[in-house]
């Protein structure tokens, strides 16, 4: 079995990016350890504070954020970092060439009930003369990403990664602390009969999305002509991992409750890195109106509507909105 570092040496053209991914995995191994200890480590429950999104942080949100931030700051290639859990980006190494954005613990509302969570990351090339302490340095479209991935903390700890040459999956062997390659050139089936969406928000969706979901619920008797199964884990990293494993479509659509928050998910920390993975695996990722990775970011905590997964089903959703 091939170790992660060996794989990166063969598939990643830039040693600096290899060092960043390698370093990230050190922090993610620490997060795995904390999660496995659970209440024994005192990491369950609320931290009694809110993040920049106005969301109540879990204790492990804060712990994971600090572990990743401290690890990345020590890597010379990292010029700056931006976290979903912090108001502002942090400048690290002046001579670094790369910026790293991350969601330290996606799906953290699931921690206390022992359901799958994950870490999502995105790596960007820093523009010459940019200031990594300012938001503007990070406001690049998703098409500019040089690497993206997530670590899934479930029955086993998995790294799913792209450096722009396909999608690969690695499993952490807890016996020696190494990630080993398990799946190569992952491909998402173009057709699917499985969808994931939070149906409790249905009344807040655009009419086009309501029409699409109403039609798919009619099954083989409806205009889409097939029976669908519904899944919902409330953890994007778990939803996308299922799609990369067996196909499907994941949607967190436009929501009219708050015009300042047209979607729940963050473009820079969730939308872009997951879109890169999905597209590298032959799927599609859209806001229902345009490709997510073509969205020009206006702020590091910008929200975006999300429709991603099996290509033909994403096309169907886009048609409903066009």
């Amino acid at each position: 079995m091939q170790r992660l570092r060996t794989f990166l040496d063969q598939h990643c053209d830039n040693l600096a990016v290899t060092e960043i991914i390698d370093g990230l995995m050190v922090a993610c191994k620490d997060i795995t350890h904390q999660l496995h200890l659970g209440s024994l480590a005192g990491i369950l429950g609320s931290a009694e504070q809110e993040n920049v999104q106005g969301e109540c942080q879990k204790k492990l949100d804060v712990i994971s954020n600090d572990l990743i931030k401290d690890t990345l700051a020590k890597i010379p290639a990292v010029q700056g970092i931006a976290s979903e859990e912090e108001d502002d980006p942090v400048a690290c190494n002046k001579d670094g060439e790369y910026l790293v954005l991350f969601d330290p613990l996606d799906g953290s509302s699931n921690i206390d009930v022992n359901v799958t969570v994950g870490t999502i990351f995105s790596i960007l090339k820093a523009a010459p003369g940019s200031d990594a302490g300012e938001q503007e340095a990070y406001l690049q479209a998703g098409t500019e990403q040089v690497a993206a991935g997530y670590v899934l903390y479930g029955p086993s700890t998995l790294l799913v990664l792209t450096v722009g040459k396909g999608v690969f999956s690695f499993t952490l062997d807890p016996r020696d602390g190494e990630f080993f390659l398990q799946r190569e050139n992952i491909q998402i089936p173009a057709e699917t009969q499985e969808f994931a969406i939070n149906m409790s928000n249905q009344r807040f969706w655009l009419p086009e999305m309501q029409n699409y979901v109403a039609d798919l619920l009619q099954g083989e008797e409806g205009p889409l002509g097939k029976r669908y199964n519904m899944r919902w884990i409330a953890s994007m990293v778990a939803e996308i991992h299922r799609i990369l494993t067996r196909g499907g479509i994941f949607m967190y659509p436009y929501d009219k409750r708050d015009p300042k928050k047209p979607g729940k998910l963050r473009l820079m920390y969730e939308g872009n890195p997951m879109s890169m993975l999905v597209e590298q695996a032959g799927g599609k990722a859209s806001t229902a109106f345009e490709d997510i990775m073509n969205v020009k970011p206006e702020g590091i905590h910008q929200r975006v509507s999300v429709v991603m997964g099996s290509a033909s089903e994403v096309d169907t959703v886009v048609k409903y909105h066009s």
Side-chain angles (χ1 to χ4, degrees):
M1 293 188 293
Q2 191 174 46
R3 296 173 184 265
L4 173 62
R5 184 56 191 250
T6 304
F7 170 88
L8 290 171
D9 288 340
Q10 294 176 355
H11 291 80
C12 186
D13 298 331
N14 194 302
L15 180 60
V17 175
T18 293
E19 296 293 342
I20 291 169
I21 295 170
D22 229 14
L24 262 170
M25 292 309 102
V26 172
C28 290
K29 291 173 195 176
D30 286 340
I31 295 170
T32 297
H33 179 66
Q34 296 283 340
L35 280 163
H36 286 171
L37 288 173
S39 60
L40 297 175
I43 54 97
L44 302 186
S46 171
E48 304 299 332
Q49 64 191 48
E50 292 185 348
N51 63 14
V52 65
Q53 315 294 336
E55 299 164 341
C56 182
Q57 290 178 305
K58 297 292 185 179
K59 290 178 182 177
L60 196 56
D61 277 324
V62 178
I63 294 169
S64 301
N65 184 70
D66 290 345
L67 282 170
I68 295 172
K69 184 170 70 171
D70 293 346
T71 300
L72 288 174
K74 297 173 184 175
I75 301 173
V78 178
Q79 186 182 123
I81 56 179
S83 168
E84 181 180 312
E85 297 297 329
E86 300 201 10
D87 292 19
D88 301 306
V90 178
C92 299
N93 304 290
K94 187 176 180 181
D95 295 328
E97 300 176 69
Y98 293 92
L99 307 170
V100 184
L101 302 95
F102 58 92
D103 178 352
L105 205 65
D106 179 74
S108 59
S109 62
N110 286 325
I111 295 172
D112 292 350
V113 292
N114 208 29
V115 173
T116 302
V117 294
T119 297
I120 308 172
F121 63 90
S122 168
I123 302 175
L124 296 168
K125 179 82 170 176
S130 62
D131 182 352
E134 298 294 330
Q135 286 197 31
E136 288 71 20
Y138 301 80
L139 301 184
Q140 303 179 34
T143 51
E144 299 300 314
Q145 295 174 107
V146 297
Y150 61 79
V151 174
L152 186 80
Y153 310 109
S156 56
T157 297
L158 306 177
L159 164 66
V160 179
L161 174 71
T162 181
V163 292
K165 301 174 183 177
V167 178
F168 299 81
S169 176
F170 304 79
T171 299
L172 176 64
D173 187 338
R175 295 169 297 186
D176 62 6
E178 292 281 351
F179 282 94
F180 289 95
L181 179 64
Q182 297 295 305
R183 296 175 63 201
E184 300 184 54
N185 295 309
I186 295 170
Q187 289 292 300
I188 299 172
E191 304 287 338
T192 187
Q193 292 176 244
E194 195 164 78
F195 73 99
I197 196 167
N198 187 346
M199 289 293 292
S200 68
N201 294 327
Q202 185 173 12
R203 64 194 184 280
F204 302 116
W205 302 336
L206 292 173
E208 294 87 348
M209 181 57 74
Q210 295 200 36
N211 291 338
Y212 165 71
V213 173
D215 286 349
L216 65 79
L217 290 177
Q218 293 184 57
E220 59 269 51
E221 298 174 354
L224 298 176
K226 53 185 176 181
R227 181 178 297 184
Y228 289 80
N229 290 322
M230 178 180 167
R231 298 288 183 266
W232 186 251
I233 307 174
S235 168
M236 186 187 191
V237 71
E239 305 283 5
I240 298 303
H241 188 72
R242 184 183 61 249
I243 288 170
L244 285 167
T245 302
R246 68 188 193 202
I249 186 169
F250 168 75
M251 295 170 284
Y252 222 117
Y254 177 87
D255 188 321
K256 68 182 181 182
R257 279 175 290 181
D258 186 345
K260 296 179 182 178
K261 299 177 181 179
K264 175 179 172 60
L265 302 176
R266 266 62 62 164
L267 173 65
M268 306 302 291
Y269 310 109
E270 296 160 321
N272 278 339
M274 289 305 203
S275 294
M276 185 178 184
L277 286 166
V278 166
E279 291 194 7
Q280 284 286 318
K284 290 189 176 182
S286 173
T287 65
F289 296 98
E290 65 176 318
D291 290 349
I292 289 174
M293 289 201 293
N294 286 336
V295 174
K296 174 60 179 172
E298 298 175 354
I300 58 171
H301 298 297
Q302 179 177 340
R303 296 176 187 250
V304 67
S305 57
V306 167
V307 178
M308 61 174 66
S310 294
S312 64
E313 201 65 35
V314 173
D315 286 341
T316 298
V317 177
V318 172
K319 287 177 183 177
Y320 271 76
H321 288 76
S322 61

